[in-house]
Amino acid sequence: MGDLLRPLRLDIFPETGFIGPEQATQVTGRHLSDMRGMYQDGRAAEAMTAAGDPLLYQVYNADIPDEPPHILFGTTVVYPGKVGSEYFMTKGHYHAIERTAEVYYCLKGRGMILMETRAGDVAVQHLERGKAVYIPPGWAHRSVNVGSEEFVFFFAYPGGAGHDYEAFEGLGFRNVVVDREGRAVVVANPRFA
Ligand code: PAN
Ligand code: ZN
């Protein structure tokens, strides 16, 4: 068996996604420069990166050993904004151990979860406060903020699952979410045409 822990209790602030106490939390910030090639509008991405490289999202991870039989959990805050007509989003990944699932529970804002399998199945679920999405084993997942405030969600998945980002460094996800006259629309990724 892996590390044993004493039971612990944390604070999770739904408005900000912040998890306390600070000593029990790891924070990772992702800027636009961390997502080279992932947005359709490369020129808009370059210009925004040069003009200040905005912070797109933050991940707060409770400090739990990353191995079975633990459950890793935390929050993600995706900030509102767009690169060209595409909304701010996470990189997206498969779990390295593909037979591992995940649960997302929305605490604030409005988002879409883009999901797909290596076999080419695709799915999209909408999240708003109080709704949860179950991501079954084998489904890659990316979170998109389609609202005007922060999109905050809680996540939990098995320790040791790991993250595989490589699959999305070329063409990206099969679907993209774009703003069409103020509405968030899911369209097929033109790179797959
Ligand atoms: C989440 C994600 C988090 C950030 O904790 O890791 O939302 O997204 P990326 O890892 O794709 O940058 C999760 O799905 N963990 O497995
Ligand atoms: Zn995941």
Side-chain angles (χ1 to χ4, degrees):
M1 192 138 110
D3 300 39
L4 292 170
L5 279 181
R6 299 287 305 163
L8 60 116
R9 192 185 78 157
L10 300 173
D11 293 311
I12 298 182
F13 298 90
E15 278 300 306
T16 57
F18 179 76
I19 300 185
E22 238 168 86
Q23 319 82 269
T25 310
Q26 287 155 15
V27 189
T28 310
R30 294 254 198 249
H31 291 81
L32 185 52
S33 58
D34 297 316
M35 296 188 67
R36 284 203 195 284
M38 291 195 171
Y39 284 93
Q40 301 288 315
D41 189 340
R43 272 199 203 155
E46 251 173 58
M48 285 175 72
T49 303
D53 193 16
L55 179 65
L56 305 188
Y57 61 102
Q58 297 231 93
V59 184
Y60 295 91
N61 275 292
D63 203 1
I64 305 287
D66 186 2
E67 60 187 15
H70 293 287
I71 295 175
L72 301 185
F73 68 93
T75 58
T76 301
V77 182
V78 186
Y79 295 101
K82 281 177 287 184
V83 179
S85 62
E86 217 176 343
Y87 296 93
F88 283 4
M89 61 190 182
T90 60
K91 286 184 165 192
H93 58 267
Y94 286 101
H95 289 166
I97 308 286
E98 292 211 7
R99 288 179 65 80
T100 54
E102 183 152 5
V103 176
Y104 282 2
Y105 177 67
C106 183
L107 302 172
K108 181 184 182 180
R110 288 199 310 124
M112 288 192 198
I113 311 301
L114 299 178
M115 290 167 279
E116 63 184 57
T117 67
R118 299 219 190 252
D121 301 306
V122 296
V124 183
Q125 293 287 350
H126 294 241
L127 274 183
E128 57 189 42
R129 189 162 60 90
K131 307 251 186 242
V133 166
Y134 178 63
I135 304 161
W139 287 78
H141 37 287
R142 163 178 279 173
S143 314
V144 186
N145 184 346
V146 299
S148 51
E149 56 181 0
E150 292 89 348
F151 171 42
V152 184
F153 62 91
F154 172 89
F155 60 80
Y157 64 100
H163 296 104
D164 170 11
Y165 294 100
E166 211 180 289
F168 303 107
E169 280 166 3
L171 298 175
F173 274 62
R174 286 168 188 270
N175 282 323
V176 296
V177 189
V178 293
D179 176 353
R180 292 265 167 86
E181 293 167 3
R183 285 191 50 227
V185 182
V186 181
V187 297
N189 179 349
R191 291 177 182 168
F192 279 82

